[in-house]
Amino acid sequence: MAKEAADVNKMPKKNPLSLQIDLQKFEKATDEEKTQAEVMSESTSFFRDGMRKLRRNPLAVFSIIVLIAIILMITVVPAVVPYSYSDIITVNGKRDKSATNMAPFTYSKMEQKYIDEGGKVFPHIMGTDELGRDYFVRVAYGTRISLLVGVFASVIVLIIGVLYGSIAGYFGGKVDLIMMRIVDIIYSLPDLLMIILLSVVLNEVLKFDGNGILARLGTNMISLFIVFGLLYWVGMARLVRGQILTIKQNEYVLAAKVSGARSSRIIRRHILPNCISVIIISAALQIPSAIFTESFLSFISLGVKAPMPSLGSLASAARSGITTYTYKLVFPAVMIGLITLAFNLLGDGLRDAFDPKLRR
Amino acid sequence: MDNNYKPNPENLVEVNDLKMYFPIKTGLLSTTPLKAVDGVSFAIKPGETLGLVGESGCGKTTVGRALIRLYKPTDGDVFFDGKRVDDRSIGALRKDMQMVFQDPYSSLNPRMTVEDIIGEPLDVHKLYSSRADRREKILHLMELVGLNAEHATRYAHEFSGGQRQRIGIARALATNPRFIVCDEAVSALDVSIQAQVINMFEDLQQKLGVAYLFIAHDLLVVHHISKRIAVMYLGKMVETADADELNENPMHPYTTSLLSAVPYPDPIVAKSSKRIILEGDVPSPLRMPSGCPFRTRCKYATEQCAAEMPKLTDRGNGHMVACWNK
């Protein structure tokens, strides 16, 4: 025993009767080999790691591509297609009254005549509606409005919800109790009824003159935003509060307190970075729900003011001729489906990639 | 709080009659105090280690946290270096009192690099003159706890439990404290890693002269590192003595049963030693038994035990026991 300890680099001899492994078949690791074992994989930040996971998720990548294509469409189409969403098609400066309810890629008599004479007419990719307006442009504008409503509403929800939730969660105690009871009360209000009542009231109170974006959207949309600001943030507030309550319990927050860090530093450096992913995911999932609400309201004609189209109002208008002009319902419905599906899948992908609870 | 209490100037940390009650809702409007810590006193000299043992839920962690003022104690005095620790003085004392946490997974922020985690106390107290100085100080701390310099830019989740605990220790050492509360600092680690970390604690004590309050439930570990050991049961201190004295001559029946549960690596010794198995469960701290809290499980219990809580009394050589019968 003492002999072996004296010469550690020599492997002990194996007893021929022993069933143990013959240690002389092994070699001592050199110092270089020992350090090699300590080398770790490349350091990855949380964000980069999440992005890598997101890129590996085919559904998320697909929905990002779809969303980029839709955004490209709504920015490029109104600039390229020579029709406007509100005006009846004109051929060579004259109104074309025969160009109503046309099927995709067909031309009216006036247009056909003009083409025969050597003129150029931009094709109606999705046909025209019952007043003779190009449907493709209207769908593009409708998508633009729906997306705008979705993003804007979820930004409102994000700001109010995060502020309210983080105040309630961080300070806790009585502040939390009172703030959360207010949330409970708001939660119990019927939101659609509130939108309907508010838009009726706001129609009387608010008057938007001129051609600004607010005037064109109409009071219904304004009341929709207001209702989102008043009612829909409660879900986000609850989520953020819950997150902050759990993060507050972590020992690294205590460690920061022991280090002498102030509340502002603890919120900034420790609490917000650890719940930001959950906030972003839930904001991404809020967008399709807002779009869906807007479409629904437009469908029951509480949405945007005519002639401004939205996907919901287009679908609603298409309902009357559903048997004859099915394509008029199909196009906006497919757009609503694509947008909500893409945002939902993207939200799921974001959650899989960034949610700390699903990691490790 | 006793305003007339005078701390002994020899002690770095002195705790006198510390009480920490948490209000627990027991009805619609009524609350009952949960007496997590009920009248605990002890003292730690500079560069010394006090081990604090006891089973789960006996208030060890609460003592550590109230001491470092993560909780506001209900009553009692804490002195550091002769100065009373309260809401006003704690800001200046934070630099001198640090803490190492139990869970190496939740005590490091997953969104921060090792460099930023260790550098946080430096940032808070502005203990560096330039970025280069900060970096140098952090690398020095990492070397002190046995981490490689190339680990500085990594995130906590890339490390093993032992390495994470070393990061936590480096953070505690960043402000050059004189006193560190080690709250179950090795309990979550493997036995082999425990030994490494404990030896490191001892080396650091020799190098830097820090005092530890070493909280643990493993008597062997505590005996190895501590000069003195204090045993807690249900929020009260039942016995304190020098480490060897407590090990060889335990007086309180609770301490003897704790010691009998320590596993020995020698099978012959292990066979010959008899385990004292306590009957019953720990009473709920919400419904504490009258008098001595241990009387419900104690085979020596008498009527006197039920009537009055025994005081910690010196039985020679600073061996203090709170028991009527021993």
Side-chain angles (χ1 to χ4, degrees), chain A residues 77 118 169 258 260 287 305 343:
Chain A
V77 164
V258 171
I287 296 175
K305 201 169 80 181
F343 270 113

Side-chain angles (χ1 to χ4, degrees), chain B residues 108-130:
Chain B
L108 305 178
N109 188 340
R111 300 296 164 83
M112 283 164 85
T113 59
V114 170
E115 190 175 352
D116 283 336
I117 290 170
I118 299 175
E120 175 153 58
L122 300 174
D123 295 339
V124 169
H125 296 286
K126 311 229 163 19
L127 292 177
Y128 49 86
S129 49
S130 62

Side-chain angles (χ1 to χ4, degrees), chain A residues 206-217:
Chain A
L206 294 175
K207 286 278 183 285
F208 294 108
D209 295 325
N211 221 12
I213 181 77
L214 286 178
R216 276 195 282 165
L217 281 174

Side-chain angles (χ1 to χ4, degrees), chain A residues 3 54 111 148 166 202 205 220 242 260 291 339:
Chain A
K3 242 186 191 171
L54 194 65
E111 283 172 332
L148 195 77
S166 48
L202 287 175
V205 178
N220 284 336
I291 289 173
I339 293 171

Side-chain angles (χ1 to χ4, degrees), chain A residues 196-208:
Chain A
I196 293 165
L197 290 176
L198 257 176
S199 58
V200 170
V201 173
L202 287 175
N203 256 328
E204 297 298 315
V205 178
L206 294 175
K207 286 278 183 285
F208 294 108

Side-chain angles (χ1 to χ4, degrees), chain B:
Chain B
M1 203 152 72
D2 184 359
N3 281 322
N4 298 321
Y5 186 81
K6 283 271 173 292
N8 185 342
E10 266 182 37
N11 293 329
L12 180 69
V13 177
E14 194 162 335
V15 175
N16 177 45
D17 202 25
L18 184 74
K19 286 183 180 139
M20 184 74 228
Y21 299 167
F22 295 103
I24 299 289
K25 275 208 178 111
T26 44
L28 195 60
L29 292 168
S30 59
T31 55
T32 310
L34 186 150
K35 298 181 178 179
V37 177
D38 198 11
V40 163
S41 308
F42 57 86
I44 303 169
K45 292 197 171 65
E48 195 188 273
T49 304
L50 175 75
L52 189 59
V53 289
E55 61 199 283
S56 308
C58 74
K60 307 183 296 278
T61 298
T62 313
V63 168
R65 291 190 176 175
L67 179 57
I68 215 146
R69 225 168 170 86
L70 279 175
Y71 299 145
K72 198 173 179 254
T74 315
D75 197 12
D77 317 271
V78 177
F79 294 93
F80 183 83
D81 209 9
K83 286 187 284 275
R84 183 183 290 279
V85 179
D86 55 24
D87 282 341
R88 261 180 296 142
S89 66
I90 186 65
L93 291 174
R94 283 270 180 242
K95 242 165 64 173
D96 287 322
M97 301 162 84
Q98 282 293 318
M99 189 157 184
V100 176
F101 291 87
Q102 171 174 14
D103 183 356
Y105 290 90
S106 90
S107 65
L108 305 178
N109 188 340
R111 300 296 164 83
M112 283 164 85
T113 59
V114 170
E115 190 175 352
D116 283 336
I117 290 170
I118 299 175
E120 175 153 58
L122 300 174
D123 295 339
V124 169
H125 296 286
K126 311 229 163 19
L127 292 177
Y128 49 86
S129 49
S130 62
R131 295 298 292 178
D133 185 30
R134 177 178 185 263
R135 173 110 190 144
E136 198 180 305
K137 282 198 163 119
I138 289 165
L139 290 182
H140 171 71
L141 284 163
M142 289 178 67
E143 196 194 316
L144 208 60
V145 298
L147 291 167
N148 293 341
E150 67 241 38
H151 292 161
T153 52
R154 292 178 181 281
Y155 289 83
H157 66 87
E158 299 173 58
F159 292 92
S160 66
Q163 282 174 313
R164 283 162 161 256
Q165 204 57 303
R166 284 166 195 266
I167 298 167
I169 295 163
R171 170 176 60 192
L173 291 172
T175 55
N176 215 353
R178 284 187 284 165
F179 174 58
I180 298 178
V181 175
C182 306
D183 181 10
E184 307 253 13
V186 295
S187 306
L189 306 176
D190 271 347
V191 177
S192 58
I193 311 287
Q194 271 190 10
Q196 288 176 14
V197 174
I198 288 167
N199 289 336
M200 196 179 78
F201 272 121
E202 287 188 318
D203 289 348
L204 291 171
Q205 188 164 50
Q206 274 169 14
K207 265 189 228 165
L208 310 170
V210 278
Y212 297 128
L213 174 65
F214 201 90
I215 301 169
H217 51 248
D218 185 340
L219 261 175
L220 273 181
V221 166
V222 169
H223 178 234
H224 180 78
I225 196 171
S226 311
K227 188 168 175 299
R228 279 182 73 78
I229 297 178
V231 182
M232 274 184 80
Y233 184 79
L234 268 182
K236 289 195 169 71
M237 204 152 267
V238 294
E239 186 164 4
T240 67
D242 283 350
D244 292 329
E245 162 77 9
L246 187 93
N247 215 28
E248 278 152 30
N249 186 22
M251 289 194 192
H252 198 278
Y254 180 62
T255 317
T256 48
S257 75
L258 268 190
L259 280 170
S260 80
V262 172
Y264 278 94
D266 186 341
I268 299 163
V269 179
K271 225 173 206 173
S272 67
S273 70
K274 220 176 122 205
R275 265 209 68 184
I276 305 168
I277 294 167
L278 291 175
E279 278 174 23
D281 289 317
V282 187
S284 159
L286 277 174
R287 278 185 299 278
M288 289 268 250
S290 64
C292 174
F294 189 59
R295 69 176 170 86
T296 54
R297 303 169 78 190
C298 180
K299 56 182 173 183
Y300 308 105
T302 59
E303 275 171 30
Q304 192 185 18
C305 297
E308 206 183 337
M309 169 67 199
K311 288 226 158 19
L312 268 179
T313 47
D314 199 332
R315 313 287 167 95
N317 288 333
H319 192 147
M320 315 262 279
V321 182
C323 186
W324 293 119
N325 305 312
K326 286 276 172 169

